[in-house]
Amino acid sequence: MNKEKATILCIDDEEMIRMTIGDFLEDSGYTVIKAENGKIGLKLFREKTPDLILVDLRMPEVEGLEVLSTVVNESPETPVIVVSGTGVLQDAVEALRSGAWNYLTKPIEDMAVLEFAVKNALEKAALIRETRYYKEHLEEIVRQRTRELEEANKQLRQAQKMEAIGTLAGGIAHDFNNTLGAIIGYAQLTIYKLPGDSPFRHYLDQILNASYRAKDLVYQILMFSRRTEQEKKPVRISSVIKEDLKMLRAVIPSTIDIREHIESDTGTVEADPTQIHQVLMNLCTNAAHAMEEKGGVLEICLANTQLNDHETVQHPDLTPGKYLKLSVKDTGYGILPDMTERVFDPYFTTKEQGEGTGLGLAVVHGIVKSHEGAVTVTSNPGKGTVFDVYFPRAEEAEEISKPRSDDRLSRGNESILFVDDDNVLAYMGKKALEHLGYQVESRTNSVDSLNFFRKNPHRFDIVITDLTMPNMTGEKLAGEIMKIRPDIPVILCTGYSEHITKEKAETIGIRKLLIKPLELNDLARTIRDVLEDS
């Protein structure tokens, strides 16, 4: 501490001592406060909070030891130097034991001794204060770091859970897609063999529609676990809303009234349809949770909107132009103002522990941003919340709808080696391709298939193989087959594409990568495309 800034309280009942010490210290650059007895000294100590106290022992009203004891109790970091003329050793010992920082005897013949004692005490006090500050600061840093580590561990546990879910999803998808493939394949084959006026065609169409919904559901699970690639195409969001509302009405409590307001001619957006489903389902289930106890109104609105330069200032992620605005409103308990800015943070949730992962809105934000859109939230605690999602409207383009059934199937008469370790799919694939006019050799073992091909390398015009198989994967099988016949076209089929992408497949010579469950019209068209390009 700089002595110019230090304030010293001098307590002594002898005026001459007070004047002598005061004048010397003031000449040395200190500010000095004087008190003629201990009572006044304690009053000034509490009012002025001096940096150091000089106190005599023997004084009327309140003695020096009592002043010392009071200061030590109330401000232990304030140095107290006893300046006494008693000359009794026991007084010095008692003063030091009571907390005095130093003991000087009167008369002080060499004022340099006083100056040294004062300077030393002030420096020691400053060091004590700095040590305490750094200790407290360090403790706060440790506490903050501990909180950060706890949060990081929490996020790590959540990430590990998500990784486990992703791994489980991949395994389920493979088995479930195989089951769906058999259902779809046999239903399509049966439809093709029935006369056009058969009443059973309607039932089979319903089976196919349910299977397609199940296929899309698997795709959603895989996409959520990041095992599928984003595929954007013109999507009519109004159709997505209508489809999702059917599902929501079945799972949301009847105490919640679901209302929809969709403008006519809302056009399309360039989007991944499955991710649009995910955005809507996440927002709606969040809204329903907010009204779970008391019920309320869930309102889904879709409208065209035009954002100009002024309006995009509020949405820095957007550029002026035409947008579709999807709004999800609820009449729930709302979100506190200090939480609205954090609702899109990963793992942040207002739900009780065990009721949510805190990922739903973070996923929504990520999806919307990847579609060059924006999502905002406004909330009124006790009255409800509104999420507004902006998607850039696509230029006038027709929505691409994937054909589900087509009697004009692409046909051929080439020879095909069809490999799948699932007996049902292997048999179904053989029958389906034979229905299209092909000559088919169906195998359920990849090693056996390789040996068979090695003995008959020119028998086949094309090979179709599953990816995930025991002993030898479809990727490895394809590589070995192409070593024998580099010109043979290979189509690789998989229930999920985590281990192989279209780019990787093309790099190793695979002509086409198909995602299960296979639909007959897709397979038929792909076979013709590959054969004609070979």
Side-chain angles (χ1 to χ4, degrees):
M1 174 178 293
N2 295 329
K3 63 183 182 180
E4 291 82 1
K5 296 182 180 179
T7 299
I8 298 174
L9 172 60
C10 181
I11 309 172
D12 199 298
D13 59 335
E14 294 184 39
E15 184 178 1
M16 181 61 68
I17 298 295
R18 293 197 307 273
M19 294 295 294
T20 302
I21 291 176
D23 289 345
F24 173 77
L25 293 176
E26 286 174 349
D27 288 342
S28 297
Y30 297 102
T31 299
V32 181
I33 308 169
K34 305 179 187 72
E36 61 266 29
N37 59 54
K39 182 177 180 180
I40 296 173
L42 286 176
K43 182 174 183 294
L44 290 173
F45 157 69
R46 295 187 176 104
E47 291 177 354
K48 304 296 184 179
T49 61
D51 300 300
L52 183 143
I53 298 174
L54 299 172
V55 61
D56 187 18
L57 283 182
R58 302 285 183 261
M59 293 183 295
E61 297 196 47
V62 177
E63 288 200 341
L65 286 178
E66 186 177 343
V67 171
L68 173 62
S69 176
T70 301
V71 172
V72 168
N73 287 331
E74 294 183 15
S75 180
E77 291 180 3
T78 300
V80 179
I81 297 175
V82 173
V83 182
S84 175
T86 64
V88 180
L89 179 62
Q90 186 60 35
D91 287 345
V93 172
E94 186 175 358
L96 292 172
R97 283 179 176 174
S98 298
W101 290 40
N102 207 336
Y103 185 93
L104 302 178
T105 57
K106 295 188 293 186
I108 302 174
E109 296 180 356
D110 187 354
M111 282 299 185
V113 174
L114 173 64
E115 184 177 23
F116 177 79
V118 168
K119 182 180 178 182
N120 185 62
L122 288 172
E123 288 177 351
K124 182 180 176 182
L127 286 173
I128 290 173
R129 284 193 296 272
E130 286 178 11
T131 302
R132 175 178 53 78
Y133 170 79
Y134 286 121
K135 181 181 177 182
E136 291 174 352
H137 190 58
L138 180 61
E139 288 175 350
E140 178 57 33
I141 290 174
V142 171
R143 284 193 292 270
Q144 177 63 28
R145 184 59 180 153
T146 301
R147 287 193 293 268
E148 291 173 358
L149 289 173
E150 288 173 350
E151 182 64 23
N153 284 331
K154 179 182 175 183
Q155 293 188 16
L156 176 61
R157 288 193 296 270
Q158 290 285 9
Q160 289 171 336
K161 288 178 184 178
M162 294 307 299
E163 183 179 356
I165 290 171
T167 302
L168 179 62
I172 291 173
H174 179 264
D175 294 339
F176 192 56
N177 277 336
N178 281 349
T179 303
L180 280 177
I183 295 171
I184 292 171
Y186 282 115
Q188 287 181 328
L189 275 176
T190 305
I191 287 176
Y192 296 140
K193 290 182 178 296
L194 287 174
D197 58 351
S198 172
F200 297 109
R201 291 179 71 98
H202 173 71
Y203 302 141
L204 290 167
D205 283 336
Q206 295 307 309
I207 291 173
L208 285 175
N209 287 334
S211 299
Y212 297 143
R213 284 196 295 272
K215 177 183 177 181
D216 291 340
L217 180 59
V218 173
Y219 181 83
Q220 287 187 53
I221 295 171
L222 291 174
M223 187 275 301
F224 181 72
S225 61
R226 294 178 175 85
R227 290 173 177 263
T228 61
E229 297 177 8
Q230 191 180 88
E231 182 183 352
K232 293 181 181 179
K233 60 183 180 181
V235 175
R236 201 170 290 278
I237 294 184
S238 57
S239 301
V240 175
I241 293 174
K242 292 180 184 297
E243 183 178 337
D244 284 351
L245 286 184
K246 294 176 184 177
M247 187 187 307
L248 286 167
R249 287 192 171 95
V251 297
I252 288 180
S254 57
T255 53
I256 297 174
D257 182 20
I258 302 177
R259 302 173 185 174
E260 61 175 285
H261 302 283
I262 301 176
E263 280 188 9
S264 59
D265 190 28
T266 49
T268 63
V269 297
E270 195 74 17
D272 182 327
T274 302
Q275 292 193 330
I276 300 300
H277 278 284
Q278 193 173 2
V279 167
L280 186 60
M281 293 299 289
N282 268 323
L283 292 177
C284 289
T285 51
N286 262 15
H289 183 272
M291 300 181 286
E292 204 168 32
E293 292 184 7
K294 299 180 180 179
V297 177
L298 170 60
E299 192 173 349
I300 298 100
C301 306
L302 183 67
N304 291 303
T305 187
Q306 178 87 28
L307 298 181
N308 56 36
D309 291 325
H310 174 71
E311 290 167 319
T312 53
V313 172
Q314 303 171 19
H315 308 289
D317 292 334
L318 302 180
T319 56
K322 297 179 180 179
Y323 289 85
L324 283 187
K325 180 181 176 183
L326 170 66
S327 300
V328 177
K329 308 177 184 179
D330 68 66
T331 57
Y333 46 73
I335 304 171
L336 295 174
D338 60 335
M339 292 185 178
T340 53
E341 293 183 359
R342 299 178 57 201
V343 294
F344 298 113
D345 292 348
Y347 306 107
F348 176 79
T349 178
T350 58
K351 300 175 184 176
E352 296 293 329
Q353 186 172 1
E355 293 187 355
T357 62
L359 288 170
L361 292 176
V363 170
V364 167
H365 183 266
I367 290 173
V368 173
K369 195 166 184 179
S370 73
H371 286 76
E372 298 180 355
V375 55
T376 62
V377 56
T378 53
S379 188
N380 192 345
K383 294 186 178 181
T385 304
V386 181
F387 284 90
D388 290 322
V389 183
Y390 296 86
F391 288 108
R393 182 167 171 172
E395 294 299 325
E396 300 302 323
E398 292 299 320
E399 182 180 5
I400 299 173
S401 58
K402 187 178 180 180
R404 293 295 195 181
S405 180
D406 185 359
D407 291 331
R408 298 184 300 275
L409 292 171
S410 302
R411 298 175 181 272
N413 57 8
E414 288 85 352
S415 180
I416 298 176
L417 174 59
F418 189 89
V419 187
D420 197 301
D421 64 314
D422 187 290
N423 290 322
V424 174
L425 286 182
Y427 182 76
M428 188 276 297
K430 176 179 174 66
K431 291 300 179 184
L433 294 172
E434 286 177 345
H435 171 74
L436 297 175
Y438 295 102
Q439 303 168 55
V440 184
E441 179 67 31
S442 177
R443 296 275 168 160
T444 58
N445 183 289
S446 52
V447 175
D448 175 60
S449 301
L450 177 59
N451 292 332
F452 186 82
F453 184 86
R454 186 176 283 116
K455 294 176 183 177
N456 308 275
H458 297 286
R459 173 177 169 178
F460 301 105
D461 299 297
I462 189 170
V463 176
I464 302 172
T465 177
D466 186 24
L467 172 64
T468 307
M469 296 184 291
N471 301 319
M472 180 183 290
T473 65
E475 180 182 351
K476 179 69 173 174
L477 174 62
E480 293 298 319
I481 283 176
M482 286 186 288
K483 286 180 184 177
I484 299 169
R485 259 192 66 190
D487 65 320
I488 187 77
V490 179
I491 296 175
L492 189 62
C493 308
T494 178
Y496 57 92
S497 57
E498 182 187 48
H499 301 296
I500 189 165
T501 62
K502 291 180 181 179
E503 291 75 15
K504 182 180 178 182
E506 290 175 359
T507 301
I508 62 176
I510 302 295
R511 301 297 179 87
K512 206 72 175 180
L513 180 66
L514 292 181
I515 305 300
K516 288 183 172 183
L518 304 177
E519 295 178 37
L520 190 52
N521 47 8
D522 290 336
L523 180 59
R525 187 169 53 252
T526 301
I527 291 172
R528 292 315 319 160
D529 289 344
V530 169
L531 286 171
E532 289 169 8
D533 288 342
S534 299

